[in-house]
Amino acid sequence: MTQTNDSAAVADRAPRGPAPAAPRVHRAWFVAAVTFVTIVGAAAFRSLPGLLIDPLHLEFGWSRGTIGAAVSVNLALYGLTAPFAAALMDRFGIRKVVAVALTVIAVGAGSTVWMTAAWQLMLSWGLLVGLGSGSMALAFAATVTNRWFTTRRGLVTGILTAASASGQLVFLPLLSWIVETHDWRPAAVTVALAALAVVPFVWLLLRDHPADIGQKPYGATAFVPRPAPVRGAARRAVTVLFTAARTGTFWLLAGTFAICGASTNGLIQTHFVPAAHDHGMPVTAAASLLAVIGVFDVVGTIASGWFTDRFEPRRLLAVYYALRGVSLLFLPMLLAPSVHPPMLFFIVFYGLDWVATVPPTVALCRERFGDDSAIVFGWVLASHQVGAALVAFLGGLARDAFGSYDMVWYASGALCAAAALMALVIRRRPVPVPG
């Protein structure tokens, strides 16, 4: 018996050939890279609304309030579609939902070239592009992050959030040049083609879950099987909303993120170019400043993801909103016919803070709502876009009524101060004490 045991021990120590080499780079990073490129390509449609206000006003005689209403429909649907899109991704998979969404964006943007009435702008840019873009919203990035990563989630969320700013950086100067040199119609066609160009990358390279290729999520210690498709996507999205809405944390997150949308997408992205043009600044110069915001947004958002992995998310949010509010209060004094150093300082400062709020907000959703966090964040994002839609519409009305945007800047600065206070009173989910 002893001899047998010794032989077995020797056999256990004997070489068995080389072990299969672990991949040098985890597949999750390739999926994150494809997601980044997808969001960059889809970001073209987000660069155009602010460039359309003056051309459409001049060509069709539509008021800025009417054009702002179409943009507000787009922004509202961008948010309201997100939670349902996150649930649809659980049901049909990420690839199918994103590929269809990009196609809808292309159809909506391309159809604007034939419009002759304001309701057609509402239908094409408001409804179709809004629905498509909602499925490409930050809930897409949150879903990818939750499925493929268990560590470095804050960093990955920051990188994927920065992708939208990168797309703005790539497309905004180009689109503004097209609008100035040719017309707004070629710019709309460019947006449609950019959305279609991303579809093959999504279909061929994106994967829905690590289990599809036999891998663990990045940082996981155990294999995670792919969950069964969740039927009743709409019902699940609404059920998650009703459950989350019973908590004060949800309403504080939704309220702060509504102010975030009001002070970014609804305000700066929609009205900065026409506001700067009111002060004599060329459209191309104003659009270039927005692109520079996109440059520093990439830096700020990735840094915010890194901070979120290390610091208290609530305090980060309070700092971000307070700094943004201060910068907006100074903006009316900085607008001028030419670009001067104080304006460049504002652009850099504001760009670092543009969507730095996303990683800590996603982290708080994940901490408080667990497996439903992507859908909950979709609803929080809906509030972001409702806030953006209101300011996109009200900002246009204010410009028509008062002849300037000054009151809009001051009101948004005050709202950011309120958001900073709201962030500080968000309660952390208590950590259970081992019994």
Side-chain angles (χ1 to χ4, degrees), residues 310-385:
R310 291 161 175 80
F311 300 105
E312 168 59 56
R314 297 175 304 164
R315 295 179 181 177
L316 289 176
L317 284 179
V319 171
Y320 295 157
Y321 285 121
L323 293 177
R324 183 185 299 175
V326 171
S327 66
L328 287 173
L329 293 177
F330 281 96
L331 181 57
M333 296 178 282
L334 303 178
L335 291 170
S338 60
V339 179
H340 47 83
M343 172 59 78
L344 290 176
F345 179 80
F346 167 83
I347 293 298
V348 172
F349 188 85
Y350 191 87
L352 291 171
D353 196 12
W354 177 271
V355 287
T357 56
V358 174
T361 301
V362 172
L364 289 170
C365 286
R366 187 183 302 118
E367 176 187 284
R368 181 62 181 84
F369 301 103
D371 292 339
D372 292 329
S373 62
I375 297 177
V376 173
F377 179 69
W379 285 112
V380 172
L381 178 63
S383 71
H384 180 283
Q385 295 308 115

Side-chain angles (χ1 to χ4, degrees), residues 60-312:
F60 297 106
W62 302 335
S63 70
R64 291 177 177 83
T66 298
I67 301 168
V71 176
S72 71
V73 170
N74 175 291
L75 293 172
L77 287 177
Y78 177 88
L80 293 173
T81 305
F84 297 98
L88 286 171
M89 289 177 189
D90 289 340
R91 172 68 178 88
F92 297 105
I94 298 173
R95 286 194 305 169
K96 293 180 181 178
V97 173
V98 174
V100 171
L102 287 167
T103 304
V104 172
I105 290 170
V107 172
S111 63
T112 59
V113 300
W114 293 289
M115 67 182 180
T116 57
W119 68 266
Q120 295 167 341
L121 178 65
M122 296 279 188
L123 178 63
S124 58
W125 203 265
L127 179 63
L128 292 179
V129 177
L131 288 174
S133 62
S135 301
M136 290 292 303
L138 294 175
F140 169 41
T143 301
V144 170
T145 304
N146 288 348
R147 289 187 182 185
W148 283 89
F149 293 85
T150 57
T151 59
R152 300 288 188 269
R153 281 176 167 173
L155 176 63
V156 175
T157 301
I159 292 172
L160 296 182
T161 303
S164 180
S166 299
Q168 176 174 297
L169 166 66
V170 170
F171 289 104
L172 190 55
L174 172 64
L175 293 175
S176 65
W177 176 80
I178 293 174
V179 171
E180 281 281 290
T181 307
H182 301 284
D183 189 18
W184 62 268
R185 289 177 176 83
V189 172
T190 301
V191 169
L193 294 178
L196 283 179
V198 181
V199 174
F201 290 94
V202 170
W203 195 255
L204 296 175
L205 301 177
L206 194 62
R207 292 294 178 267
D208 292 328
H209 197 278
D212 293 347
I213 56 173
Q215 285 194 354
K216 298 179 292 186
Y218 180 81
T221 57
F223 182 80
V224 178
R226 175 172 179 156
V230 180
R231 298 183 181 275
R235 182 174 64 253
R236 184 184 177 210
V238 174
T239 301
V240 168
L241 171 63
F242 285 156
T243 302
R246 296 172 186 166
T247 67
T249 299
F250 172 81
W251 291 107
L252 287 169
L253 288 172
T256 55
F257 224 43
I259 295 172
C260 179
S263 56
T264 54
N265 300 75
L267 181 65
I268 296 295
Q269 191 165 37
T270 304
H271 294 295
F272 178 80
V273 171
H277 191 55
D278 284 347
H279 287 76
M281 185 180 294
V283 171
T284 51
S288 297
L289 289 177
L290 277 185
V292 174
I293 286 179
V295 175
F296 288 94
D297 180 23
V298 173
V299 177
T301 307
I302 294 176
S304 177
W306 188 86
F307 290 144
T308 302
D309 286 333
R310 291 161 175 80
F311 300 105
E312 168 59 56

Side-chain angles (χ1 to χ4, degrees), residues 398-416:
R399 171 61 178 81
D400 289 335
F402 302 112
S404 77
Y405 286 99
D406 287 358
M407 291 300 298
V408 183
W409 308 129
Y410 295 137
S412 296
L415 285 175
C416 288

Side-chain angles (χ1 to χ4, degrees), residues 23-69:
R24 297 180 64 181
V25 179
H26 196 284
R27 181 64 179 271
W29 293 107
F30 289 101
V31 172
V34 174
T35 304
F36 184 93
V37 172
T38 302
I39 297 174
V40 167
F45 63 84
R46 297 187 62 195
S47 303
L48 194 55
L51 303 177
L52 292 180
I53 293 179
D54 285 338
L56 294 180
H57 172 69
L58 293 174
E59 178 172 340
F60 297 106
W62 302 335
S63 70
R64 291 177 177 83
T66 298
I67 301 168

